[in-house]
Amino acid sequence: MAEQTVVTTVPGPYFVRVHRPQAQQPNPPFNAPAARRLRTALGMGPEHVAYGLRASYGLPYATPDLVIAWERGVTAPSSPELTALAGVLWCSASELIGAPRTLREHRVARDLAPEDVAHAVGIAVLAYERMEESGTWHGSERQSAALAKVLDLSLPDFVTVTGRDGRLADLLRSAVTTRWQAYVRPVGKMLPLERGLLEVVLEELYGDYQGQMAATLHWGGGPAAGGRAESGRDFLDRIVDHFWTAVRANSS
């Protein structure tokens, strides 16, 4: 059991200690901005949400600080807490669930135990749990295909949960800042996409980035150039998102 300090103002300020039950399962992915947006739309403050959690859902440890921590992404509500929060905010629990990003979040979102995934993929439970904790997938090609099937992963999701986003981002940054043709094969080895599609997408990203940088040089060193340079840096920071957007656009 975990302890949390709660402040109450009736009849006077004093501190009491209450017990918050430890979550038995990993917390579901939580959409913190949605929780804040829904609360604001109802004209409620964090204190009103906390009161509702205590009075209507039997969560005596709920405080405004806890609600604020959820909304800032400092911590996330457990499944029972998320259900209670949805009740207070007059919404469905699905509206407060964020898009899964990690291997664990995808598993939890599908209500699967580690044993379920390990058995479906064909690896030892302990080995799977270690991969989940590290965020790096070490399975074979056959095991990777089984993982994508049991968790119903799209290709972008699969790249993210297996810890390959960083490597993909490095390749894409190099492709748009140097010669994109040299990176068709390395990206193709990482992703099961047709070479023709990769060529179109990489050339498109290269053109977008180089166009921004050319505009920066054309305008010299004035304020506008600084803005364009910042735009170029933002493009590189979000290169993986731009890549998947271009893949979808050119696949239809």
Side-chain angles (χ1 to χ4, degrees):
M1 302 291 281
E3 290 189 340
Q4 179 170 333
T5 300
V6 180
V7 180
T8 179
T9 58
V10 181
Y14 64 97
F15 291 87
V16 296
R17 291 200 178 273
V18 296
H19 295 286
R20 178 185 181 186
Q22 294 279 27
Q24 299 301 312
Q25 296 293 333
N27 294 341
F30 180 60
N31 191 336
R36 180 181 178 86
R37 184 174 63 253
L38 288 164
R39 173 179 62 76
T40 302
L42 291 171
M44 301 172 68
E47 67 278 7
H48 301 126
V49 175
Y51 176 80
L53 293 172
R54 294 194 304 269
S56 300
Y57 292 92
L59 304 182
Y61 52 82
T63 65
D65 285 344
L66 178 59
V67 174
I68 291 171
W70 287 344
E71 292 182 354
R72 290 179 177 174
V74 176
T75 186
S78 65
S79 292
E81 289 169 340
L82 188 142
T83 300
L85 180 61
V88 173
L89 296 178
W90 291 83
C91 68
S92 66
S94 62
E95 294 178 73
L96 297 176
I97 295 178
R101 294 283 298 173
T102 66
L103 187 56
R104 176 174 294 170
E105 287 179 350
H106 277 280
R107 174 178 62 76
V108 172
R110 285 157 182 78
D111 197 25
L112 295 172
E115 294 81 1
D116 299 329
V117 179
H119 177 73
V121 172
I123 59 176
V125 176
L126 184 58
Y128 170 77
E129 289 178 334
R130 286 174 177 168
M131 293 183 204
E132 221 180 57
E133 291 172 2
S134 67
T136 303
W137 176 251
H138 300 294
S140 66
E141 185 174 341
R142 180 189 63 79
Q143 291 169 332
S144 296
L147 179 74
K149 182 178 181 179
V150 71
L151 295 181
D152 193 23
L153 299 174
S154 65
L155 183 55
D157 286 338
F158 178 77
V159 171
T160 298
V161 303
T162 54
R164 302 178 188 182
D165 263 351
R167 173 60 177 160
L168 178 59
D170 289 341
L171 290 174
L172 296 176
R173 291 189 190 103
S174 297
V176 301
T177 56
T178 57
R179 293 180 62 254
W180 66 265
Q181 296 90 338
Y183 292 89
V184 174
R185 185 174 181 182
V187 174
K189 290 180 66 175
M190 178 180 292
L191 306 173
L193 296 173
E194 295 181 359
R195 181 181 179 87
L197 175 60
L198 284 177
E199 290 175 344
V200 170
V201 168
L202 292 183
E203 184 176 13
E204 182 179 303
L205 294 178
Y206 175 86
D208 290 344
Y209 177 73
Q210 294 298 326
Q212 292 185 39
M213 300 313 294
T216 300
L217 294 174
H218 176 74
W219 286 96
R228 290 181 175 84
E230 182 65 30
S231 177
R233 286 190 292 270
D234 179 68
F235 185 89
L236 292 179
D237 287 342
R238 302 183 58 204
I239 190 65
V240 173
D241 292 336
H242 292 306
F243 173 77
W244 292 122
T245 298
V247 167
R248 287 190 291 269
N250 288 283
S251 297
S252 56

